[in-house]
Amino acid sequence: MAHEAPFQLLHSELIHYICKSADSTDSENGRSVTKLENMGFRVGQGLIERLTKDTARFKDELDVMKFICKDFWTCVFKKQIDNLRTNHQGIYVLQDNKFLLLCHLSAGKQYLEHAPKYLAFTCGLVRGALSNMGVKSIVTAEVSVMPACKFQVMIQKV
Amino acid sequence: MAHEAPFQLLHSELIHYICKSADSTDSENGRSVTKLENMGFRVGQGLIERLTKDTARFKDELDVMKFICKDFWTCVFKKQIDNLRTNHQGIYVLQDNKFLLLCHLSAGKQYLEHAPKYLAFTCGLVRGALSNMGVKSIVTAEVSVMPACKFQVMIQKV
């Protein structure tokens, strides 16, 4: 019964709060997105700590990514990633065909420009989770048709 | 598996964000608490709409309060209110013996002064939910021993 609702509504409220003053030059918009990304990063760090408390060691990078797509995604968004692709050279694309945090936006193109605000937190979330598992990355997101979206993870070799 | 964690961590991050600049006169602290309360109000409004979508009409005020203590509380905090008391004259006291949003704070008296920040959002949450069910109220909270706390709801007769 609406288990995902508290998180989703709080996330919307957060965006509203952080972006409201930004009405809004591009640089202000950029700052809002960065703030959201940073908050996601810290939440991702905390979350992955709890989720991996009792898991076995991960075999490799792909094993880590699968954990993000299944257990981690299910915990936050109540569904798994629908498709995971990789070029086996450090780039992963995670596709969610019905992304929770876009579900309440209209599917047309009208709100497409607002999508970055609704994805920034999650980019940070993934980056924070990976970071706590020793994987440094850059995470970006793109939307073509809402509520589907793709997250691209570029692993930064140390 | 840690279903409450995303909401809880996001809530902590929100407090951190809103209160960080407030380092901090009493009036600034007060403003932070008010902001949190307002955000809770709007989340409560949205949440109760979803939760009551398919419920039968409520008989009376007590029936509404029971719904808050059971379904609403479980949806957000993954447990029911432990004790509901009323003077039958518009005052209700909801006691949660292990309140989710205080669980990660140490149980001693050391952090007791920070409790109001961690309760403001939830006060607003309850007030918003009641408001959308046509019940105007004032909601306050008190903690004596963490992580237990009591929320007092004073119904405002119209």
Side-chain angles (χ1 to χ4, degrees), chain B residues 53-68:
Chain B
K53 191 160 56 79
D54 302 315
T55 55
R57 247 186 128 69
F58 295 101
K59 276 198 317 244
D60 52 21
E61 198 178 277
L62 183 60
D63 207 28
V64 166
M65 291 308 300
K66 283 182 181 165
F67 185 81
I68 296 285

Side-chain angles (χ1 to χ4, degrees), chain B residues 16-68:
Chain B
H16 177 78
Y17 181 77
I18 290 187
C19 301
K20 70 171 175 222
S21 55
D23 56 349
S24 69
T25 62
D26 280 358
S27 73
E28 274 168 348
N29 265 338
R31 272 200 294 275
S32 299
V33 164
T34 304
K35 281 179 196 167
L36 289 166
E37 211 272 349
N38 285 339
M39 293 177 85
F41 184 83
R42 285 189 296 269
V43 171
Q45 284 186 312
L47 205 50
I48 202 73
E49 262 185 38
R50 298 203 199 176
L51 290 179
T52 54
K53 191 160 56 79
D54 302 315
T55 55
R57 247 186 128 69
F58 295 101
K59 276 198 317 244
D60 52 21
E61 198 178 277
L62 183 60
D63 207 28
V64 166
M65 291 308 300
K66 283 182 181 165
F67 185 81
I68 296 285

Side-chain angles (χ1 to χ4, degrees), chain B residues 133-153:
Chain B
M133 291 197 281
V135 178
K136 206 175 159 207
S137 65
I138 293 172
V139 182
T140 54
E142 64 171 82
V143 180
S144 44
V145 182
M146 301 222 243
C149 70
K150 285 180 189 171
F151 294 91
Q152 175 168 301
V153 179

Side-chain angles (χ1 to χ4, degrees), chain A residues 48 52 55-61 63-65 67 133:
Chain A
I48 201 74
T52 54
T55 55
R57 246 186 129 69
F58 295 102
K59 276 201 313 245
D60 52 21
E61 199 179 277
D63 207 28
V64 167
M65 292 307 300
F67 186 81
M133 291 198 281

